[in-house]
């Protein structure tokens, strides 16, 4: 049997990561684990981002300590997860995730059909090398050791980092079947970092794109939200299109193909959304999710209004309900998220109507969903280059009206009931 290739180790003097650039929480966790005699390393996206001179959004730490041991070391922590048990160490301004080095998943612990490779339990512990090979992409498997501040590379991730390449660790055909969400993550990382997808990694995603249906809906929607909020969603959707994932994950886009709001229109809408995300402030969740459904709503309305016929508002409301129900069922959305999307899209539909009376304008502006609906109107107008006059009207009205949060609802003065004394008992 061929011996594994030796790891590439960059000493402290050969890489740009310095301890003071880490968050205070990450430094505390690494230091306490190391002082306790444990092997502790920074791992994943934080190492990648620090090597690229980017600011990590969070910090993950891996160690040879078991979750229960980590929990005893940090009173401000909790154990979470079923598929793979993790420890969240809680600080006032951040959460540091700590996991135990993983080994190959135990096939006897998987709840899957014969012949499937889907990993449903991943609580087999291993070595740093095994842990690196269990991760998804080479650039996410680099370690920063607490003991000597060296960067350790078991998977040629440093080389891919220099080449600007997202490459699956091992055979991508197997890795995608183990965890189909990796296909979506590959597109997101390529877009977020401005990297290319390695040929085998891309072609395997196309081959196994239907496997995404086996992934947990909760994990899929959280990945989709991250993608939409990344400020690079247009590039990510382009990689999803090239890999064949886009019509599988978002069939709403495939449904409107060939129309003005189809795939090309969806790309322009995503570009405007990215501009909005990058220019701040934070985009409401209802706007992020509704934006991905907006082309289908627009095309559905155009079909209903074909030939210039008037469409009853109930049919337009039914259109929104059908689109949201389909999307919500596929991603197992909570009732709260469904309501937020539905109200934003319904109010958007109302803003598209002409010739509102002053009373209707007043009532629409007072709606809680007015602000997200107006954002959707602005995104669509910027993407299509139309509707500017109507958008300007609603923006002006919205600026001059008090916000729903400050107006509140008018309190009804109830008639105060006269307090009566205790009833006398008749003996």
């Amino acid at each position: 049997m061929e011996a594994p290739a030796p790891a590439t180790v960059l000493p402290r003097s050969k890489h740009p990561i310095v301890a003071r650039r880490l968050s205070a929480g990450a430094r505390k966790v690494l230091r306490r684990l190391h002082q306790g005699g444990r092997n502790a390393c920074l791992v994943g996206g934080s190492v990648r981002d620090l090597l690229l001179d980017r600011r990590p959004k969070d910090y993950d730490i891996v160690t040879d300590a078991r979750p229960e041991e980590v929990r005893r070391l940090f009173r401000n922590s909790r154990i979470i997860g079923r598929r793979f048990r993790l420890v969240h160490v809680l600080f006032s301004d951040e959460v540091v995730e700590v996991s135990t080095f993983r080994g190959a998943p135990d096939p006897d612990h998987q709840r899957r059909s014969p012949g499937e490779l889907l990993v449903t339990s991943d609580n087999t512990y291993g070595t740093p090398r095994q842990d690196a090979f269990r991760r998804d992409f080479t650039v996410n498997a680099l370690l920063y050791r607490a003991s000597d501040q060296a960067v350790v590379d078991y998977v040629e991730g440093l080389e891919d980092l220099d080449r600007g390449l997202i490459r699956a660790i091992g055979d991508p055909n197997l890795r995608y079947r183990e965890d189909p969400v990796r296909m979506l993550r590959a597109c997101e990382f390529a877009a977020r970092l401005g990297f290319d997808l390695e040929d085998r990694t891309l072609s395997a995603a196309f081959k196994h794109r239907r496997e995404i249906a086996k992934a947990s809906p909760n994990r899929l929607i959280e990945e989709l939200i991250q993608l939409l909020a990344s400020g690079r969603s247009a590039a990510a959707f382009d990689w999803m299109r090239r890999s064949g994932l886009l019509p599988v994950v978002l069939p709403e886009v495939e449904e409107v193909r060939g129309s003005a709001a189809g795939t090309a229109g969806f790309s322009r809408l995503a570009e405007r959304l990215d501009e909005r995300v990058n220019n701040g402030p934070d985009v409401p969740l209802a706007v992020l999710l509704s934006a991905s459904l907006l082309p289908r709503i627009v095309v559905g309305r155009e079909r209903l209004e074909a030939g210039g016929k008037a469409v009853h508002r109930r049919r337009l409301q039914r259109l929104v309900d059908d689109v949201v129900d389909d999307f919500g069922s596929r991603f197992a959305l909570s009732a709260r998220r469904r309501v937020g999307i539905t109200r934003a899209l319904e109010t958007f539909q109302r803003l598209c109507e002409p010739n509102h009376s002053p009373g209707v304008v007043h009532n629409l502006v007072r709606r809680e969903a007015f602000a997200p609906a107006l954002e959707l109107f602005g995104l669509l107008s910027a993407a299509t280059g139309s509707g500017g006059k109507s958008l300007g009207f609603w923006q002006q009205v919205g600026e001059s009206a008090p916000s729903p949060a400050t107006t509140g609802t008018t309190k009804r003065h109830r008639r105060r009931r006269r307090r009566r004394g205790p009833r006398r008992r008749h003996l």
Side-chain angles (χ1 to χ4, degrees):
M1 183 176 178
E2 186 178 346
T8 299
V9 179
L10 293 184
R12 169 65 196 89
S13 59
K14 298 293 185 181
H15 65 77
I17 301 178
V18 291
R20 67 175 179 272
R21 292 187 60 195
L22 276 59
S23 71
R27 291 198 303 271
K28 288 178 183 177
V29 174
L30 286 171
R31 182 171 59 250
R32 188 173 299 180
L33 286 169
H34 177 54
Q35 289 174 348
R38 293 300 185 178
N39 184 0
C41 305
L42 200 63
V43 70
S46 55
V47 181
R48 177 201 68 215
D49 289 345
L50 288 166
L51 289 171
L52 293 172
D53 198 26
R54 294 169 177 245
R55 183 178 181 180
K57 65 175 183 176
D58 49 36
Y59 292 86
D60 296 338
I61 290 171
V62 67
T63 178
D64 56 359
R66 300 296 174 90
E68 296 79 7
E69 297 172 296
V70 177
R71 175 72 181 87
R72 285 196 292 269
L73 278 174
F74 299 94
R75 294 178 62 186
N76 54 323
S77 66
R78 63 187 179 191
I79 297 177
I80 67 164
R82 293 182 180 179
R83 184 175 178 267
F84 185 65
R85 297 174 72 214
L86 306 164
V87 179
H88 278 178
V89 184
L90 312 173
F91 297 96
S92 60
D93 57 348
E94 69 172 319
V95 177
V96 177
E97 189 171 278
V98 183
S99 62
T100 306
F101 292 123
R102 288 180 296 173
D106 188 340
D108 294 334
H109 292 168
Q110 309 307 315
R111 300 181 301 277
R112 61 193 183 195
S113 303
E116 279 196 1
L117 299 177
L118 188 70
V119 174
T120 59
S121 177
D122 203 5
N123 287 310
T124 303
Y125 303 125
T127 65
R129 177 184 289 274
Q130 290 172 331
D131 185 87
F133 276 93
R134 283 297 306 143
R135 296 187 177 271
D136 48 13
F137 307 105
T138 59
V139 297
N140 293 340
L142 302 170
L143 303 173
Y144 171 81
R145 279 195 307 229
S147 59
D148 57 1
Q149 299 183 19
V151 171
V152 184
D153 177 15
Y154 293 101
V155 295
E156 299 180 356
L158 289 169
E159 184 178 339
D160 288 338
L161 207 61
D162 289 337
R163 293 191 296 170
L165 203 62
I166 299 296
R167 178 169 61 90
I169 298 171
D171 183 354
N173 293 286
L174 299 179
R175 306 313 301 277
Y176 289 155
R177 292 177 66 192
E178 289 175 344
D179 184 0
V181 176
R182 286 173 176 152
M183 292 183 280
L184 193 57
R185 287 168 60 82
C187 298
E188 182 188 347
F189 285 132
R192 188 189 296 271
L193 300 173
F195 283 13
D196 287 327
L197 276 177
E198 184 250 354
D199 290 342
R200 288 181 69 226
T201 301
L202 177 61
S203 60
F206 184 84
K207 180 179 179 181
H208 299 287
R209 62 194 184 279
R210 300 291 175 188
E211 297 277 327
I212 202 80
K214 298 177 182 178
S216 160
N218 292 326
R219 288 186 65 209
L220 279 177
I221 191 61
E222 294 309 317
E223 288 293 336
L224 182 60
I225 291 171
Q226 283 190 44
L227 188 154
L228 290 165
S230 68
R232 296 284 298 168
S233 67
F237 286 130
D238 185 54
W239 280 114
M240 289 172 64
R241 178 186 57 78
R242 293 168 64 179
S243 65
L245 282 172
L246 188 58
V248 180
V249 177
L250 287 175
E252 291 83 2
V253 180
E254 186 72 12
E255 183 179 313
V256 298
R257 182 185 293 276
S259 66
T263 307
F266 182 78
S267 296
R268 290 193 296 271
L269 185 67
E271 290 171 0
R272 303 291 83 78
L273 179 63
D274 289 340
E275 290 177 2
R276 169 66 180 82
V277 169
N278 292 325
N279 292 330
D282 290 345
V283 181
L285 181 59
V287 174
L288 290 175
L289 294 176
S290 299
S292 60
L293 303 178
L294 202 53
R296 187 176 173 191
I297 293 293
V298 172
V299 171
R301 181 167 186 148
E302 289 175 350
R303 289 170 180 167
L304 290 174
E305 295 176 340
K309 57 185 178 182
V311 181
H312 197 281
R313 190 173 293 149
R314 286 183 181 176
R315 293 192 64 186
L316 297 177
Q317 185 171 342
R318 197 178 308 127
L319 167 66
V320 171
D321 291 340
D322 290 344
V323 171
V324 175
D325 284 347
D326 185 23
F327 182 79
S329 299
R330 195 164 67 254
F331 289 103
L333 287 188
S334 65
R336 183 177 181 180
R337 286 180 173 177
R338 290 193 191 211
V339 168
I341 298 171
T342 300
R343 289 177 177 172
L345 290 171
E346 284 179 349
T347 306
F348 162 79
Q349 294 267 49
R350 296 294 305 276
L351 300 188
C352 294
E353 296 174 3
N355 305 322
H356 290 293
S357 68
V360 170
V361 170
H362 177 72
N363 289 333
L364 286 174
V365 171
R366 286 171 58 87
R367 286 188 178 186
E368 188 177 347
F370 175 77
L374 186 59
E375 287 229 41
L376 292 173
F377 201 152
L379 291 172
L380 185 66
S381 178
T384 61
S386 61
K389 184 176 180 181
S390 183
L391 173 65
F393 166 77
W394 286 115
Q395 287 175 334
Q396 184 178 7
V397 171
E399 289 172 0
S400 60
S403 66
T406 58
T407 58
T409 55
T410 304
K411 293 183 178 180
R412 294 181 179 177
H413 297 281
R414 297 180 180 178
R415 292 179 61 186
R416 296 181 65 182
R417 297 179 62 183
R418 238 174 107 184
R419 274 182 100 179
R420 298 178 179 175
R423 288 184 178 179
R424 295 180 180 177
R425 291 186 180 181
H426 299 279
L427 301 177

